[in-house]
Amino acid sequence: MTERLTPLELMTKLISFPTVSRDTNIPLIDWVAEYLAAHGIESHRYIDPDQPKHALFAHAGPWEEGAVVLSGHTDVVPVDGQAWDTDPFTVTEKDGRYYGRGTCDMKGFDALAIWALVEAHYAEVKRPLQIALSFDEEIGCTGAPPMIQAMQGVVPKGSAVIVGEPSTMQAVTGHKGGIGFNTHLVGFEVHSSLLHTGVNAIMAGAKLIEWANDVNSDNMAAKPTETAAMFDPPFTTAHVGVIEGGTAHNITAKDCKFAMDFRVVPGEDKDKWGTAYLKKVREVEKQMQDVVPETYIETSTRFDVPALQPEKDGEAEQIVRQITGDNASHKVSYGTEAGQFQEAGYSAVICGPGDIAQAHQPNEFIDVAQFEAGHDFMRRLLTRLQG
């Protein structure tokens, strides 16, 4: 364990842990903690009280505030039902690409961050470097907030956070926020020939989904704000991706379950969209109860992710731009923990190797050239920290 592994060796090891979000990530975190300890770096954990998940954070360099923080998540999306040509949990190099689940999103960056932390320790950098490895990013960035809170007072507070989501090493300075609601409609079963005496939960749920369609149509037709115009699409969206319910074609559905998700442009109040949805839920619930009083709709918050607001002269952005030379404006519509770090008082930016188009895909890959660009970025960052 005392050997200093290369970024590729580190990525290969990280990907060998099948840390799909539904499963534990503790074996991966244990290995990282042991590897860092073997090099004299103490790591710390946030331990989730409700599930077998750990987050890890560590500090290298002088014990003082102002660290650059390299932030990534350790969970990956499932491979179930995807047609892979190689073992998804083994890194395979082919045609100038590294294939494997998480090579792009985002164990490639995690490996680079771990490499950089160990190198920073041995280089005795003058400005500290930290890493923060969270869990459950893929199901709504739910693991980062308690990790960020756990970092306070345990390690000196950093000032600039680089979130390594795949951005082809470009400086992304803004992303949409998001809020989502698990929704469960409970209807009343009768024979479909007498549907007027029952409550079909699926058909009631369709009213909520049609409301979302109307929201999207209205938002698409409206003139975007200056901030919204930076995004694609330039408006807040409502979305239902999975729906389940019903027993048989000739029975009014007793149950209907789906998640209603909003991706909200910076500058808009995401809670406003949540309030509007819950108002519509109560309206549909009343219609159900007018027919059968014991029917109802349950909702619970599935995720709540703040937007990353573009910063004026943001420190994290300046660091990335000075290293990469990228001076263009980049915004994305997906969410990350960058907005959560920003809410906690850090300057934040997104910059990582790989193309987001490869994330979550069968035969996920990162170009070797992109991985090397990420490695070069870390070398340059270390030089800055030594200055």
Side-chain angles (χ1 to χ4, degrees):
M1 289 291 287
T2 55
E3 180 185 1
R4 286 153 72 173
L5 301 180
T6 67
L8 178 57
E9 290 169 333
L10 288 164
M11 178 172 70
T12 299
K13 185 65 179 181
L14 296 181
I15 286 174
S16 71
F17 296 100
T19 52
V20 175
S21 300
R22 65 179 176 237
D23 301 322
T24 184
N25 72 333
I26 294 176
L28 181 151
I29 294 296
D30 285 344
W31 185 87
V32 173
E34 291 171 8
Y35 178 73
L36 295 179
H39 292 285
I41 301 172
E42 180 183 12
S43 62
H44 309 270
R45 301 193 194 200
Y46 166 74
I47 298 175
D48 191 292
D50 301 317
Q51 58 178 341
K53 304 279 184 73
H54 292 180
L56 178 145
F57 51 96
H59 179 104
W63 197 255
E64 61 188 33
E65 295 188 350
V68 174
V69 185
L70 302 175
S71 176
H73 60 83
T74 59
D75 57 317
V76 296
V77 297
V79 299
D80 309 38
Q82 293 187 333
W84 281 73
D85 297 327
T86 62
D87 179 356
F89 298 108
T90 299
V91 173
T92 302
E93 183 178 358
K94 184 173 60 175
D95 301 326
R97 298 169 173 175
Y98 295 127
Y99 288 88
R101 174 57 88 219
T103 50
C104 176
D105 185 20
M106 61 180 302
K107 290 181 178 178
F109 178 83
D110 293 344
L112 292 166
I114 294 167
W115 177 87
L117 190 77
V118 171
E119 294 302 310
H121 172 71
Y122 285 112
E124 298 183 352
V125 291
K126 295 180 180 178
R127 179 178 180 179
L129 183 69
Q130 295 178 355
I131 62 169
L133 303 178
S134 64
F135 58 86
D136 284 357
E137 190 274 347
E138 297 292 4
I139 57 175
C141 293
T142 57
M147 175 191 70
I148 295 169
Q149 183 177 5
M151 293 170 68
Q152 310 310 308
V154 175
V155 292
K157 186 166 184 175
S159 61
V161 177
I162 301 171
V163 176
E165 290 283 355
S167 71
T168 62
M169 298 309 300
Q170 296 175 326
V172 173
T173 57
H175 68 61
K176 290 185 177 181
I179 188 167
F181 298 90
N182 291 321
T183 305
H184 180 196
L185 297 92
V186 179
F188 186 80
E189 292 178 311
V190 297
H191 193 281
S192 60
S193 65
L194 300 172
L195 64 85
H196 65 292
T197 64
V199 173
N200 188 316
I202 291 176
M203 296 182 74
K207 296 178 181 180
L208 297 175
I209 296 172
E210 184 58 24
W211 174 86
N213 286 329
D214 291 341
V215 164
N216 289 332
S217 295
D218 291 345
N219 288 353
M220 187 182 301
K223 181 180 179 180
T225 65
E226 183 177 348
T227 300
M230 300 177 182
F231 292 84
D232 182 18
F235 53 87
T236 292
T237 57
H239 179 255
V240 173
V242 176
I243 186 169
E244 60 178 299
T247 303
H249 292 297
N250 61 352
I251 302 174
T252 57
K254 181 179 180 181
D255 294 285
C256 179
K257 297 179 181 180
F258 57 83
M260 181 69 71
D261 297 343
F262 299 87
R263 293 188 181 273
V264 184
V265 296
E268 290 187 13
D269 182 0
K270 67 183 185 317
D271 294 330
K272 179 197 77 171
W273 291 105
T275 299
Y277 176 61
L278 296 178
K279 179 181 178 181
K280 186 65 179 180
V281 166
R282 299 284 78 86
E283 177 186 321
V284 172
E285 182 181 60
K286 182 179 184 305
Q287 295 171 2
M288 295 166 60
Q289 293 176 345
D290 285 345
V291 180
V292 179
E294 57 264 37
T295 58
Y296 58 93
I297 305 176
E298 290 181 330
T299 61
S300 61
T301 301
R302 193 167 78 88
F303 67 89
D304 189 345
V305 181
L308 174 62
Q309 304 279 354
E311 301 172 2
K312 182 176 176 59
D313 300 322
E315 180 191 9
E317 175 185 352
Q318 289 182 13
I319 291 172
V320 168
R321 291 197 187 282
Q322 289 167 7
I323 292 175
T324 64
D326 174 29
N327 291 314
S329 176
H330 307 285
K331 310 292 186 296
V332 294
S333 292
Y334 58 79
T336 77
E337 68 268 28
Q340 294 166 330
F341 272 103
Q342 194 177 63
E343 278 199 338
Y346 298 78
S347 174
V349 70
I350 300 168
C351 183
D355 188 334
I356 193 63
Q358 300 306 322
H360 305 182
Q361 297 297 307
N363 296 321
E364 176 184 347
F365 67 84
I366 187 171
D367 286 326
V368 173
Q370 273 291 302
F371 192 64
E372 289 303 321
H375 192 186
D376 185 61
F377 177 93
M378 294 301 177
R379 293 191 192 98
R380 292 171 181 266
L381 175 61
L382 289 169
T383 298
R384 288 177 62 92
L385 298 179
Q386 290 174 284

